Amino acid sequence: MTPTGNSPKILVTGGAGFIGSHTVVSLVEAGFEPVIVDDFSNSERSVLDGLRTILGRDVTCYSANCNDAAEMAAIFQKEGFSGVIHFAAYKAVGESVQKPLKYYRNNLDSLLLLLELMPKYKVSNLVFSSSCTVYGQPEQLPVTEQTPRLPAQSPYGNTKAISEDIIRDTVNAQVPIKALALRYFNPVGAHPSAEIGELPLGVPANLIPFITQTAAGIRQSLTVYGDDYNTSDGTCVRDYIHVVDLAEAHVQALRKLSESSDEASYDVINIGTGRGETVLNIIKTFEQETGVKLNYTIGPRRAGDVEQVYADVTKANQALDWQARRSLAESLRDAWRWQQKIS
Ligand code: WQD
């Protein structure tokens, strides 16, 4: 897809990351012109090659720090954006407990800078990458956007909750920004081309990359963190959403903001499948879909894990005219195909 001169330019901070890169693909496919700003602190430049292969063209990418005011102002000045999707953030829950100031400084400063630059350069549409982690362990399931946020389980989660409040308060002060905070559940899988996917640095914290690395023989064995929860098979329940479904939700969010005639607005929307899956069922489905037997043991619970969380997606269906279309089996097949490609 070659960009037409008037394709609306969208700033995608963290656009070389896992969700960011998949969203760049969906943006181009929807007729937008994404411009990536990424400091490559948690992503690899090879992602740009993957994007070029999928799209058949280069995507503009600035290697820059989203906290650098002069650099970001120059990019806003030069590019003339129609909207912003803000992914750039540190996201390792465990590391955030060890280094809270690194997380508060990086994740909050980059948002504050964007909120100052957007009105200055007449950019009003903002899609913000938030997380279901703000719910903690919800009382009711599936969890709706009306469910009260609980105190964050980690500084990482707290940066997401505080960021939502910063955007809300900015909009309430009539700063001309229309914003949607998308609360992701568990993004998994990879682009079906296997040209882009998840690139966890070091030992994966998340379940699916640990499963695929175990299946590839990179890890000896998977530990299931606890089977004594009050769930169907004793293991934790999560809402695993294909990363391409998640990417498409961002495009829909941008479209809805562009269509809105509001001067300023703010809303939060859950982005999940609406289905909860246990860890053991993920393992069973992976084995069925790939034919690979997984070596796993049951270990103790992981500190900070919530027992069950999965989304009520009614609002996303209605407000974004969007729903997840890919199955768990497809997510796991795509994740495995990507792992085989990079192994
Ligand atoms: C899923 C389940 C583990 C690894 C994280 C972030 C959250 C959000 C989504 C960004 C849990 C179990 C895992 C393993 C296991 N990210 N597990 N063995 O913790 O739900 O959420 O990703 O917004 O902020 O915290 O995802 O993949 O780490 O764990 O048994 O080796 O798999 O206990 O029940 P989580 P996860």
Side-chain angles (χ1 to χ4, degrees):
M1 281 125 267
T2 49
T4 59
N6 58 357
S7 300
K9 277 188 184 177
I10 305 299
L11 167 60
V12 185
T13 70
F18 174 39
I19 304 166
S21 56
H22 287 81
T23 302
V24 163
V25 172
S26 298
L27 283 167
V28 171
E29 289 173 347
F32 290 95
E33 177 57 32
V35 174
I36 296 171
V37 173
D38 201 306
D39 66 1
F40 293 98
S41 63
N42 192 23
S43 53
E44 295 180 11
R45 291 172 190 283
S46 59
V47 168
L48 302 178
D49 301 327
L51 288 173
R52 186 185 309 112
T53 304
I54 295 169
L55 296 170
R57 44 149 293 191
D58 282 322
V59 174
T60 306
C61 177
Y62 293 87
S63 175
N65 182 335
C66 292
N67 292 321
D68 183 325
E71 184 113 47
M72 292 302 286
I75 294 169
F76 268 83
Q77 173 75 34
K78 178 163 182 277
E79 295 293 345
F81 296 121
S82 301
V84 178
I85 304 182
H86 185 39
F87 291 108
Y90 296 145
K91 62 160 193 170
V93 173
E95 185 192 37
S96 77
V97 175
Q98 310 306 323
K99 303 176 183 170
L101 290 182
K102 173 183 175 184
Y103 276 67
Y104 286 115
R105 172 64 70 195
N106 182 66
N107 293 7
L108 300 182
D109 277 6
S110 55
L111 174 66
L112 291 167
L113 180 56
L114 279 177
L115 294 174
E116 287 165 357
L117 289 175
M118 285 177 69
K120 198 169 161 192
Y121 291 93
K122 307 272 180 286
V123 184
S124 60
N125 300 321
L126 170 64
V127 179
F128 174 68
S129 165
S130 190
S131 168
C132 65
T133 202
V134 302
Y135 293 117
Q137 175 55 69
E139 295 292 310
Q140 253 99 27
L141 286 166
V143 65
T144 71
E145 292 83 356
Q146 284 67 45
T147 303
R149 288 180 342 200
L150 289 181
Q153 317 257 333
S154 69
Y156 159 76
N158 209 20
T159 67
K160 291 301 181 182
I162 295 169
S163 294
E164 290 187 357
D165 293 348
I166 289 171
I167 298 169
R168 180 204 58 213
D169 293 347
T170 302
V171 165
N172 288 344
Q174 295 311 309
V175 173
I177 287 176
K178 298 174 283 177
L180 284 174
L182 303 185
R183 290 175 176 167
Y184 306 160
F185 284 69
N186 289 52
V188 293
H191 192 268
S193 66
E195 291 297 335
I196 55 174
E198 198 165 2
L199 285 169
L201 298 180
V203 179
N206 294 138
L207 177 64
I208 305 307
F210 208 107
I211 284 179
T212 58
Q213 289 191 11
T214 303
I218 297 167
R219 306 288 161 202
Q220 281 309 306
S221 146
L222 167 77
T223 303
V224 174
Y225 296 141
D227 68 346
D228 57 351
Y229 287 98
N230 182 21
T231 63
S232 59
D233 60 20
T235 61
C236 291
V237 172
R238 295 289 186 276
D239 184 331
Y240 297 92
I241 176 170
H242 196 295
V243 64
V244 177
D245 276 328
L246 179 57
E248 290 172 358
H250 288 76
V251 175
Q252 282 303 98
L254 211 46
R255 281 191 173 126
K256 295 298 177 185
L257 289 172
S258 308
E259 290 161 9
S260 161
S261 55
D262 293 343
E263 181 71 14
S265 64
Y266 171 66
D267 209 351
V268 295
I269 302 181
N270 287 340
I271 304 295
T273 66
R275 294 187 305 275
E277 300 286 355
T278 67
V279 175
L280 286 178
N281 188 43
I282 296 287
I283 292 172
K284 184 159 66 60
T285 308
F286 181 84
E287 291 180 331
Q288 280 165 355
E289 290 303 315
T290 62
V292 177
K293 187 93 185 70
L294 267 180
N295 185 13
Y296 71 90
T297 56
I298 305 291
R301 295 182 172 193
R302 178 173 69 175
D305 273 344
V306 298
E307 178 175 89
Q308 291 195 60
V309 62
Y310 54 96
D312 177 315
V313 289
T314 309
K315 188 171 178 181
N317 298 159
Q318 291 168 354
L320 297 186
D321 187 18
W322 168 91
Q323 66 180 34
R325 294 185 292 115
R326 292 154 180 91
S327 66
L328 174 66
E330 190 172 342
S331 298
L332 295 172
R333 282 199 304 272
D334 290 343
W336 179 229
R337 189 180 309 113
W338 166 248
Q339 181 66 60
Q340 290 174 298
K341 171 80 179 292
I342 59 176
S343 295

